[in-house]
């Protein structure tokens, strides 16, 4: 999600600023003979200011979580102001405003709806040409303006789709990196478990046999006083105790460490910044549990990016008795009283957690952010 200031200062928006500056200057300050302005300069200047204000407002709200209905209303208001200007001033540069509106339309309406809106605006401009401006060739003028609008709209549409594809590709790449990290951690955990079993079954068994043989040798009168026999027996005892300690430590560490996989999920997002805290003993016991935890974090990130004006996301994984607790919270600025409606993402997250014996609570923070609290059993 882009910040509002970055959106306003985007190089692509400067074309709109230049177009508006030229149109506004020509309407308000240029003197024509005969004058193209049919009304007093003050109403025209007011309409120009309102049109620019709504355009800038649209650019700002396009980078923050505002419903599409509100954004569409802003675009329709710009259309209305553009036609109001055409009613007050006979100026060939005014139809450029419809090009700026068409660029916004393709971002908010589906292709069929966008075609209808653009077609309706050009039907209206035909009547402006014919009945108000008394244009000699209203059809030609309408077709020319329609061609410019189509070119600008298609260019904006392909740029918008390319940006969406880039974001989807970055998210998919982060998902692959997280999956690769999870697979590597699974392989390490399996190898650790295998080595602990090998040490216990093979080395432990042979050391126990060595101890029995040394004990029998120590009972032999010929070697009972031999210092080297007693030393070997003591070393065998210490080595067996050390191996048992190593095996116990490896088994205590049994489980998957998800830190690297979680960090990989956050790599494609400029905002929000993820603050990750995982307690050392908070390790999941199975791949299914790891998948449920990772998808919960991924959904928390996705919600913060798409539906919240969040700068930070806090993720905490801790262990309480026989339960793992996952706490995901963002500093979004939505309406704190608005009820959260569970979409497909939240429903899928709850189903995954319930599938491994866990659950999910969803609420809002005091600032209007989203707070996800998940839990699952330590044992798989």
């Amino acid at each position: 999600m882009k910040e509002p200031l970055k959106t306003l200062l985007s190089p692509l928006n400067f074309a709109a600023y230049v177009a508006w500056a030229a149109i506004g200057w020509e309407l308000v300050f240029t003197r024509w003979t005969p004058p193209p302005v049919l009304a007093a300069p003050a109403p025209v200047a007011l309409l120009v200011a309102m049109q620019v204000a709504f355009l800038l407002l649209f650019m700002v709200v396009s980078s923050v979580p505002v419903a599409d209905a509100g954004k569409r209303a802003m675009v329709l208001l710009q259309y209305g102001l553009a036609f109001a200007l055409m009613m007050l001033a006979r100026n060939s540069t005014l139809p450029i405003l419809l090009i700026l509106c068409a660029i916004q339309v393709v971002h908010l309406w589906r292709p069929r709806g966008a075609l209808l809106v653009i077609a309706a605006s050009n039907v209206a401009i035909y009547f402006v040409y014919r009945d108000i401006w008394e244009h000699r060739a209203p059809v030609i003028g309408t077709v020319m303006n329609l061609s410019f609008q189509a070119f600008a709209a298609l260019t904006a549409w392909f740029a918008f789709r390319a940006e969406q594809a880039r974001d989807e590709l970055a998210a998919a790449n982060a998902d692959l990196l997280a999956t690769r990290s999870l697979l590597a951690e699974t392989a390490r955990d399996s190898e650790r478990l295998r080595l602990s079993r090998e040490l216990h079954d093979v080395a432990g068994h042979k050391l126990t046999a060595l101890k029995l043989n040394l004990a029998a040798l120590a009972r032999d009168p010929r070697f009972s006083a031999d210092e080297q026999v007693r030393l070997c027996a003591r070393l065998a005892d210490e080595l067996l105790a050390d191996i048992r300690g190593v095996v116990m430590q490896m088994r205590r560490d049994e489980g998957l460490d998800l830190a690297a996989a979680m960090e990989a999920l956050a790599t494609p997002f400029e905002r929000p910044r993820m603050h990750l805290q995982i307690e050392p003993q908070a390790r999941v016991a199975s791949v299914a549990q790891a998948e449920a935890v990772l998808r919960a974090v991924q959904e928390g990130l996705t919600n913060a990016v798409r539906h919240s004006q969040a700068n930070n996301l806090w993720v905490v994984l801790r262990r309480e008795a026989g339960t793992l607790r996952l706490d995901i919270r963002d500093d979004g600025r939505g309406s704190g009283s608005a009820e959260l409606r569970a979409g497909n993402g939240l429903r899928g997250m709850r189903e995954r957690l319930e599938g491994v014996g866990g659950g999910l609570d969803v609420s809002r923070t005091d600032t209007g952010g989203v707070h996800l609290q998940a839990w699952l059993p330590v044992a798989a």
Side-chain angles (χ1 to χ4, degrees), residues 50-100:
M50 291 175 63
Q51 177 86 354
V52 174
F54 276 111
L55 178 62
L56 294 176
L57 182 61
F58 177 83
M59 292 178 182
V60 171
V61 300
S62 65
S63 62
V64 297
V66 175
D68 284 347
K71 297 177 183 178
R72 289 171 181 169
M74 294 179 195
V75 176
L76 295 178
L77 279 172
Q78 291 180 57
Y79 268 117
L81 292 170
F83 281 105
L85 279 171
M86 293 181 197
M87 302 286 284
L88 297 177
R90 185 180 293 113
N91 192 303
S92 60
T93 60
L94 285 174
I96 295 176
L97 302 179
L98 302 184
I99 298 176
L100 300 180

Side-chain angles (χ1 to χ4, degrees), residues 169-196:
L169 182 60
N173 183 59
D175 192 15
L176 289 175
L177 291 175
T179 302
R180 186 179 69 177
S181 177
L182 177 59
L183 290 174
E185 179 62 25
T186 304
R188 285 192 295 268
D189 185 68
S190 299
E191 184 65 13
R192 184 168 55 243
L193 182 60
R194 186 188 69 81
L195 288 175
S196 68

Side-chain angles (χ1 to χ4, degrees), residues 12 24 28 58 90 104 145 182 187-188 225 229 248 295 350:
L12 294 177
V28 178
F58 177 83
R90 185 180 293 113
Q104 300 169 63
N145 279 284
L182 177 59
R188 285 192 295 268
V229 172
M248 290 179 64
R295 295 302 168 232
R350 180 174 281 110

Side-chain angles (χ1 to χ4, degrees), residues 96-296:
I96 295 176
L97 302 179
L98 302 184
I99 298 176
L100 300 180
C101 292
I103 292 172
Q104 300 169 63
V105 165
V106 297
H107 284 76
L108 293 174
W109 276 267
R110 294 180 180 275
R112 183 176 297 178
L115 286 174
L116 289 175
V117 172
I118 294 174
S121 68
N122 281 274
V123 170
I125 200 174
Y126 166 78
F127 287 107
V128 170
Y129 277 148
R130 191 189 71 176
D131 299 331
I132 298 176
W133 289 12
E134 299 178 351
H135 201 287
R136 293 182 178 179
V139 174
I140 298 300
T142 302
V143 171
M144 289 178 60
N145 279 284
L146 178 60
S147 65
F148 291 138
Q149 292 172 46
F151 176 77
L154 287 173
T155 302
W157 168 252
F158 287 123
F160 178 62
R161 292 296 299 168
E163 186 176 352
Q164 281 188 325
R166 182 199 62 191
D167 293 342
E168 291 171 0
L169 182 60
N173 183 59
D175 192 15
L176 289 175
L177 291 175
T179 302
R180 186 179 69 177
S181 177
L182 177 59
L183 290 174
E185 179 62 25
T186 304
R188 285 192 295 268
D189 185 68
S190 299
E191 184 65 13
R192 184 168 55 243
L193 182 60
R194 186 188 69 81
L195 288 175
S196 68
R197 289 171 177 168
E198 291 291 330
L199 284 172
H200 180 272
D201 297 340
V202 178
H205 173 73
K206 291 184 178 180
L207 280 174
T208 301
L210 178 61
K211 282 184 59 179
L212 293 175
N213 281 279
L214 288 172
L217 191 61
R219 289 192 296 270
D220 192 321
R222 294 175 298 173
F223 302 104
S224 58
D226 194 326
E227 184 63 27
Q228 290 184 342
V229 172
R230 288 197 294 271
L231 176 61
C232 289
R234 188 173 71 253
L235 290 174
D237 289 339
E238 293 174 357
L239 182 56
L240 184 59
D242 291 342
I243 288 179
R244 285 174 176 168
V246 170
V247 170
M248 290 179 64
Q249 181 63 39
M250 294 178 73
R251 286 193 172 274
R252 276 198 298 269
D253 290 341
E254 183 178 348
L256 303 175
D257 184 4
L258 301 180
M262 289 183 182
E263 290 171 354
L265 286 174
T267 52
F269 303 111
E270 295 181 3
R271 290 172 52 196
R273 180 184 177 189
M274 187 172 75
H275 306 272
L276 182 61
Q277 179 184 347
I278 301 180
E279 294 183 353
Q281 66 271 25
R283 301 171 72 93
V284 296
S286 68
V287 176
Q289 285 185 334
E291 181 75 11
V293 171
L294 282 180
R295 295 302 168 232

